[in-house]
Coordinates of all heavy atoms in Angstrom, one line a residue:
L647 N 22.0 -12.3 -97.8 CA 21.1 -12.6 -98.9 C 21.7 -13.6 -99.8 O 21.0 -14.5 -100.4 CB 20.9 -11.3 -99.7 CG 19.9 -10.3 -99.1 CD1 19.8 -9.1 -99.9 CD2 18.6 -10.9 -98.8
L648 N 23.0 -13.7 -100.0 CA 23.7 -14.7 -100.8 C 23.5 -16.1 -100.2 O 23.3 -17.1 -100.9 CB 25.2 -14.4 -101.1 CG 25.4 -13.1 -101.8 CD1 26.9 -12.8 -101.9 CD2 24.8 -13.1 -103.2
F649 N 23.6 -16.2 -98.9 CA 23.4 -17.4 -98.2 C 21.9 -17.9 -98.4 O 21.7 -19.0 -98.8 CB 23.7 -17.3 -96.7 CG 25.2 -17.4 -96.4 CD1 25.8 -16.2 -96.0 CD2 25.9 -18.5 -96.5 CE1 27.2 -16.2 -95.7 CE2 27.2 -18.6 -96.2 CZ 27.9 -17.4 -95.7
V650 N 21.0 -16.9 -98.2 CA 19.6 -17.3 -98.4 C 19.3 -17.7 -99.8 O 18.6 -18.7 -100.0 CB 18.7 -16.1 -97.9 CG1 17.3 -16.3 -98.3 CG2 18.9 -15.8 -96.4
R651 N 19.8 -17.0 -100.8 CA 19.6 -17.3 -102.2 C 20.1 -18.7 -102.5 O 19.6 -19.3 -103.5 CB 20.1 -16.3 -103.1 CG 19.4 -15.0 -103.1 CD 20.0 -13.9 -104.0 NE 19.3 -12.7 -103.8 CZ 19.9 -11.5 -103.8 NH1 21.2 -11.4 -104.0 NH2 19.2 -10.4 -103.6
A652 N 21.1 -19.2 -101.8 CA 21.7 -20.5 -102.0 C 20.9 -21.6 -101.2 O 21.2 -22.7 -101.2 CB 23.1 -20.5 -101.5
G653 N 19.8 -21.1 -100.5 CA 18.9 -22.1 -99.8 C 19.4 -22.4 -98.4 O 18.9 -23.3 -97.8
L654 N 20.2 -21.5 -97.8 CA 20.6 -21.6 -96.4 C 20.0 -20.6 -95.5 O 19.8 -19.5 -95.9 CB 22.2 -21.5 -96.4 CG 23.0 -22.4 -97.2 CD1 24.4 -21.9 -97.4 CD2 23.0 -23.8 -96.6
H655 N 19.6 -21.1 -94.3 CA 19.0 -20.1 -93.4 C 20.2 -19.3 -92.8 O 21.3 -19.8 -92.5 CB 18.4 -20.9 -92.2 CG 17.8 -19.9 -91.2 ND1 16.7 -19.2 -91.4 CD2 18.3 -19.6 -90.0 CE1 16.5 -18.4 -90.3 NE2 17.5 -18.7 -89.4
F656 N 20.0 -18.0 -92.8 CA 21.0 -17.1 -92.3 C 20.5 -16.3 -91.1 O 19.4 -15.8 -91.0 CB 21.3 -16.0 -93.4 CG 22.4 -15.0 -93.0 CD1 23.7 -15.3 -93.1 CD2 22.0 -13.8 -92.5 CE1 24.7 -14.4 -92.7 CE2 22.9 -12.8 -92.1 CZ 24.3 -13.2 -92.3
T657 N 21.4 -16.3 -90.1 CA 21.2 -15.5 -88.9 C 22.4 -14.6 -88.7 O 23.5 -15.0 -88.6 CB 21.0 -16.3 -87.6 OG1 20.0 -17.3 -87.8 CG2 20.8 -15.5 -86.4
G658 N 22.1 -13.3 -88.7 CA 23.2 -12.3 -88.6 C 23.3 -11.6 -87.3 O 22.2 -11.4 -86.7
V659 N 24.5 -11.2 -86.9 CA 24.7 -10.3 -85.8 C 25.7 -9.2 -86.2 O 26.5 -9.4 -87.0 CB 25.2 -11.0 -84.5 CG1 24.2 -12.0 -84.0 CG2 26.5 -11.7 -84.8
D660 N 25.5 -8.0 -85.6 CA 26.3 -6.9 -85.9 C 26.2 -6.0 -84.7 O 25.1 -5.9 -84.1 CB 25.9 -6.2 -87.2 CG 27.0 -5.3 -87.7 OD1 27.2 -4.2 -87.2 OD2 27.7 -5.7 -88.7

Side-chain angles (χ1 to χ4, degrees):
L647 288 177
L648 297 175
F649 283 107
V650 170
R651 289 179 187 142
L654 300 163
H655 177 74
F656 179 84
T657 301
V659 295
D660 197 284

